[in-house]
Amino acid sequence: MSHAPDPTPYDALLLLSFGGPEGPDDVVPFLENVTRGRGIPKERLKEVGQHYFLFGGKSPINDQNRALLDALRKDFAEHGLDLPLYWGNRNWAPYLTDVLREMVDDGHRRILVLTTSAYTSYSGCRQYRENLAEALAALEAEGLPLPRIDKLRQYFNHPGFIRPMIDGVLKSLSELPEDVRDGAHLAFTTHSIPDASADTSGPAEGHGQGGAYVREHLDVARIIADAVREESGVERDWQLVYQSRSGAPHIPWLEPDICDHLEEQHTKGVPAVVMVPIGFVSDHMEVLYDLDTEATAKAAELGLPVARSATVGADPRFAAAVRELLLERAATERGERVTPCALGALGASHDLCPAGCCPARTPKPAAAGADSP
């Protein structure tokens, strides 16, 4: 009889995500949370929120997180892993501080955190760590005992994250008209971020053009493109492109934008494009609006056949990957020798974010790192 997996020293797992509005009345308050401190007028936020209103004022991200929690509970139960699961958000209910308070009240003192961001960047890693530090400070001010919190490593190159995306590309290719299928270009998309944020993403020794953020995405794109070539028998051109830019026009952000890229491919005579959103864990608003709505409309305008492959979402293989990452980190914390599971050229990401990793423009305390208070 096999032994049950051992999560010690951890006594709970927290799924930490971005959050999103659940209805039309939530849209502007949600955007106020997202942009707090930037002085953006409410009328401008109403304009920004129009893409939410196209979908009834509801972001799909919360339901997708609920589905992921269900998948994790199912996987944990099937493998005998007895570990309570919680879910908290940065910008909408259930709010992180409230959930951490609940976890402490339930007696949890050693918490492991999974964020719904696979790659290394300020907004994808350190900002979540800052949110955790703020929540812990709030609990301390209330006189509550503080748990120790660790964060799972960035999982961009874990097989359980990558394999579902490979299958998604193959499926999308099979759905294209046969006469354009073999010539289809693969456009790997991720969230654009300011050049300055990209350049300082990851540990300080790797800072430079694009930083860890671009390197990691390029490695994942290469892994997927190679696998698709091997399994389809067709060599296809591919490129990493960006979407969902939201910053001031005078600040340089990563380019090219997906819509500009579609125009360029059409001009070059490419017969079809598969858009592959490798930068996103689930089909939330940036995928539904920026790809399924805007980019798809641009392709229709050009007469360019496009398909959009699936994100990982609540795929059972991703749930299994989370379990494996959790047990890997638990064994490491117990002092056991562990071989991290990772594909590609970059190897497994660090367990503990070093000092200077993904720095903020205004330094703030951040939990679960080498420079944590």
Side-chain angles (χ1 to χ4, degrees):
M1 182 179 296
S2 61
H3 296 289
D6 185 5
T8 56
Y10 300 108
D11 56 25
L13 177 69
L14 169 64
L15 174 65
L16 179 54
S17 192
F18 192 81
E22 299 271 20
D25 292 341
D26 298 340
V27 172
V28 171
F30 163 73
L31 292 173
E32 287 175 333
N33 287 341
V34 174
T35 61
R36 182 171 287 117
R38 301 183 203 172
I40 299 176
K42 183 170 287 190
E43 291 306 310
R44 174 58 182 153
L45 294 179
K46 289 179 181 177
E47 294 175 17
V48 171
Q50 287 306 309
H51 56 283
Y52 285 101
F53 294 121
L54 288 175
F55 295 87
K58 180 176 180 178
S59 168
I61 193 170
N62 289 333
D63 285 343
Q64 290 163 4
N65 282 324
R66 294 180 184 104
L68 178 56
L69 284 170
D70 288 343
L72 291 171
R73 291 188 180 103
K74 184 174 186 292
D75 179 88
F76 286 13
E78 289 175 349
H79 291 85
L81 177 57
D82 183 16
L83 193 71
L85 283 160
Y86 294 78
W87 163 43
N89 288 324
R90 172 188 292 171
N91 296 303
W92 202 249
Y95 288 105
L96 171 59
T97 300
D98 296 335
V99 175
L100 270 185
R101 185 184 299 109
E102 177 188 357
M103 296 178 79
V104 167
D105 288 343
D106 289 346
H108 300 298
R109 298 294 181 267
R110 193 74 189 271
I111 296 168
L112 193 56
V113 173
L114 164 70
T115 63
T116 53
S117 180
Y119 298 86
T120 302
S121 69
Y122 171 74
S123 59
C125 183
R126 185 174 178 91
Q127 190 172 10
Y128 282 113
R129 294 177 47 226
E130 291 176 357
N131 299 147
L132 287 164
E134 290 168 1
L136 289 171
L139 298 189
E140 184 175 29
E142 296 171 14
L144 295 174
L146 297 186
R148 173 173 167 180
I149 294 179
D150 292 325
K151 179 181 168 296
L152 283 175
R153 64 178 172 91
Q154 302 303 101
Y155 47 84
F156 62 93
N157 55 6
H158 193 285
F161 183 66
I162 289 179
R163 185 66 234 185
M165 292 191 289
I166 295 170
D167 291 345
V169 175
L170 292 168
K171 182 175 185 294
S172 291
L173 286 167
S174 73
E175 294 169 350
L176 286 172
E178 190 172 353
D179 61 333
V180 301
R181 189 177 302 154
D182 286 354
H185 169 84
L186 306 181
F188 294 97
T189 77
T190 190
H191 209 300
S192 183
I193 60 175
D195 286 2
S197 294
D199 294 347
T200 56
S201 58
E205 62 270 19
H207 289 176
Q209 187 172 10
Y213 187 75
V214 172
R215 285 195 300 272
E216 290 171 2
H217 281 89
L218 284 172
D219 204 41
V220 169
R222 190 173 296 109
I223 294 167
I224 296 172
D226 288 349
V228 169
R229 182 193 68 242
E230 292 172 8
E231 296 181 34
S232 69
V234 178
E235 180 82 37
R236 291 182 173 83
D237 288 336
W238 62 269
Q239 187 172 336
L240 176 64
V241 301
Y242 302 93
Q243 61 174 93
S244 312
R245 175 184 173 137
S246 59
H250 69 280
I251 297 175
W253 283 51
L254 293 173
E255 297 179 336
D257 176 77
I258 178 61
C259 289
D260 295 336
H261 184 66
L262 292 175
E263 287 194 18
E264 179 187 4
Q265 296 307 305
H266 176 64
T267 301
K268 290 167 60 176
V270 167
V273 173
V274 175
M275 300 182 290
V276 190
I278 59 172
F280 304 91
V281 172
S282 65
D283 288 3
H284 51 66
M285 190 56 71
E286 281 82 356
V287 176
L288 293 186
Y289 184 76
D290 297 329
L291 294 184
D292 293 355
T293 305
E294 278 197 333
T296 300
K298 170 58 72 174
E301 174 189 319
L302 297 168
L304 177 65
V306 294
R308 197 269 290 173
S309 66
T311 54
V312 171
D315 190 292
R317 291 167 293 185
F318 181 47
V322 172
R323 171 174 43 83
E324 292 166 8
L325 288 163
L326 185 159
L327 294 174
E328 170 195 298
R329 181 62 184 273
T332 299
E333 290 297 308
R334 295 195 301 269
E336 300 173 17
R337 187 169 184 174
V338 175
T339 301
C341 189
L343 300 175
L346 299 180
S349 184
H350 44 262
D351 279 334
L352 193 67
C353 293
C357 192
C358 303
R361 277 179 286 179
T362 304
K364 295 180 180 179
D371 55 354
S372 298

